[in-house]
């Protein structure tokens, strides 16, 4: 099942994608794709619905029908750094002995095709396509063997990053990760039964048609069950929380010479079975 949120910014409604690629409205069944709607029992109830019995929404998704972030009311946006062996190598950094955890502010979250804004004073804005885990059943101290039972689904994340803020402005990485528009998620939340082998999904990103990232989740150092269990040692995980699992090689910082976004580019990125995002890049201007 592919769950989504559609409509204007701030007024998104819950829906699902049918087999014909059209959106069906879920407003009579859940208030939003958020909170309790992500619990296993609710997901099971939604899965039992017949899409053809649900109201058809006008428009073609990602063409003349805007899709919002695939999850609403996100409490925590947790990210994992240096979690692909080949990305760590291109960054000239050692594989960490434990997962590196940092945060993106939830105000960074945007729809999969909404524009990405280069913030004021930024000089090294970069891209990172990532596999996102969306928590369904919450918990603390989750055993690795039980971790997948806490997953509502998976989605595409673009962990947009301003490298100058990340590395040169003192303190933690978070300064370069949480600017507005730096967290596109979606287009849809795909339930685990449709994802298949999440350990070998193709994952890619292009800028103006040039493919910079072209990898597979098989090179992740710390796998999905371990990341869920590990994060739950330091925080309670709650329905709707997102864990973004790291990026494969091919980021702008790793090019020789480095390549960064300047404004005017179009990013296109996707993960096998999870959909595609497209974002026009613009430069911040007063009044934004």
């Amino acid at each position: 099942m592919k769950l989504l949120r559609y409509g204007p910014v701030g007024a998104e409604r819950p829906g699902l994608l049918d087999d014909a690629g059209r959106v069906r409205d879920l407003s009579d069944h859940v208030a939003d794709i958020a909170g309790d709607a992500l619990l296993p029992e609710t997901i099971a109830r939604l899965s039992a619905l017949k899409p053809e019995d649900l109201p058809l929404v006008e428009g073609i998704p990602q063409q003349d029908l805007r899709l919002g972030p695939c999850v609403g009311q996100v409490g925590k946006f947790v990210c994992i750094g240096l979690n692909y062996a080949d990305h760590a190598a291109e960054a000239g950094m050692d594989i960490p002995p434990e997962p590196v955890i940092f945060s993106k502010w939830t105000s960074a979250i945007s729809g999969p095709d909404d524009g990405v804004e280069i913030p004021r004073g930024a000089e090294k804005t970069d891209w990172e396509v990532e596999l996102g885990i969306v928590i369904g059943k919450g918990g603390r101290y989750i055993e690795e063997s039980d971790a997948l039972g806490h997953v509502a689904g998976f989605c595409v994340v673009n962990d947009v990053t301003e490298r100058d803020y990340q590395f040169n402005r003192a303190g933690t990485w978070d300064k370069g990760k949480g600017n507005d528009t730096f967290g596109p998620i979606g287009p849809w939340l795909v339930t685990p039964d449709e994802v298949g082998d999440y350990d070998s999904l193709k994952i890619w990103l292009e800028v103006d048609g040039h493919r910079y990232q072209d990898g597979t989740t098989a090179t992740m150092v710390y796998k999905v069950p371990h990341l869920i269990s590990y994060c739950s040692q330091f925080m309670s995980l709650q329905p709707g929380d997102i864990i973004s699992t790291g990026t494969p090689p091919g980021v702008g910082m790793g090019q020789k010479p480095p390549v960064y976004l300047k404004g005017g580019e179009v990013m296109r990125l996707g993960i096998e079975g999870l959909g595609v995002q497209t974002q026009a890049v613009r430069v911040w201007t007063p009044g934004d």
Side-chain angles (χ1 to χ4, degrees):
M1 183 169 56
K2 294 180 175 70
L3 299 171
L4 53 84
R5 300 168 73 245
Y6 70 92
V9 176
E12 291 91 350
R13 296 167 64 91
L16 62 78
L17 194 74
D18 68 17
D19 290 341
R22 300 293 299 275
V23 173
R24 300 283 179 161
D25 184 74
L26 284 173
S27 298
D28 289 340
H29 300 275
V30 289
D32 198 357
I33 307 301
D36 288 350
L38 298 168
L39 292 171
E41 54 268 30
T42 311
I43 294 291
R45 178 167 57 83
L46 296 177
S47 295
L49 298 173
K50 294 181 178 179
E52 60 269 23
D53 293 338
L54 300 170
L56 180 65
V57 178
E58 290 293 324
I60 304 299
Q62 300 187 277
Q63 293 184 28
D64 55 354
L65 176 63
R66 176 188 176 268
L67 297 185
C70 60
V71 181
Q73 304 171 40
V74 176
K76 293 188 287 298
F77 197 165
V78 182
C79 297
I80 308 298
L82 300 174
N83 195 36
Y84 282 68
D86 34 10
H87 171 55
E90 78 168 347
M93 299 181 184
D94 294 333
I95 294 172
E98 297 184 32
V100 172
I101 297 177
F102 60 91
S103 294
K104 291 180 86 76
W105 319 128
T106 56
S107 53
I109 292 174
S110 58
D113 306 309
D114 295 343
V116 165
E117 176 189 276
I118 297 176
R120 182 174 65 181
E123 299 178 351
K124 298 178 179 179
T125 303
D126 206 345
W127 54 82
E128 295 189 15
V129 58
E130 305 198 0
L131 173 68
I133 306 165
V134 178
I135 297 299
K137 177 184 175 182
R140 299 175 66 196
Y141 306 116
I142 297 167
E143 295 294 334
E144 197 166 327
S145 58
D146 298 329
L148 293 180
H150 292 259
V151 177
F154 298 88
C155 67
V156 181
V157 175
N158 190 355
D159 177 19
V160 185
T161 304
E162 170 49 40
R163 300 296 184 191
D164 184 52
Y165 296 179
Q166 179 185 11
F167 295 121
N168 301 326
R169 296 292 295 272
T172 64
W173 288 4
D174 305 46
K175 290 179 182 177
K177 295 287 187 174
N179 287 276
D180 289 2
T181 77
F182 271 25
I185 61 171
W188 22 78
L189 167 66
V190 184
T191 52
D193 58 299
E194 283 202 18
V195 173
D197 185 4
Y198 54 82
D199 275 338
S200 62
L201 301 176
K202 294 178 181 177
I203 179 169
W204 55 273
L205 181 145
E206 298 172 349
V207 179
D208 289 341
H210 178 82
R211 184 158 294 200
Y212 283 96
Q213 293 188 273
D214 195 6
T216 168
T217 57
T219 63
M220 286 174 57
V221 177
Y222 298 106
K223 305 297 186 179
V224 168
H226 182 78
L227 293 176
I228 295 168
S229 176
Y230 185 83
C231 289
S232 77
Q233 311 306 306
F234 304 100
M235 67 195 82
S236 62
L237 294 176
Q238 298 160 347
D241 287 349
I242 299 170
I243 302 174
S244 197
T245 58
T247 198
V251 299
M253 179 179 66
Q255 307 303 307
K256 300 187 184 304
V259 176
Y260 295 115
L261 299 168
K262 301 300 182 183
E265 302 93 344
V266 173
M267 291 186 285
R268 190 168 182 269
L269 57 145
I271 300 177
E272 180 182 1
L274 301 185
V276 173
Q277 301 182 353
T278 304
Q279 295 122 21
V281 181
R282 66 182 187 276
V283 177
W284 177 89
T285 57
D288 281 357

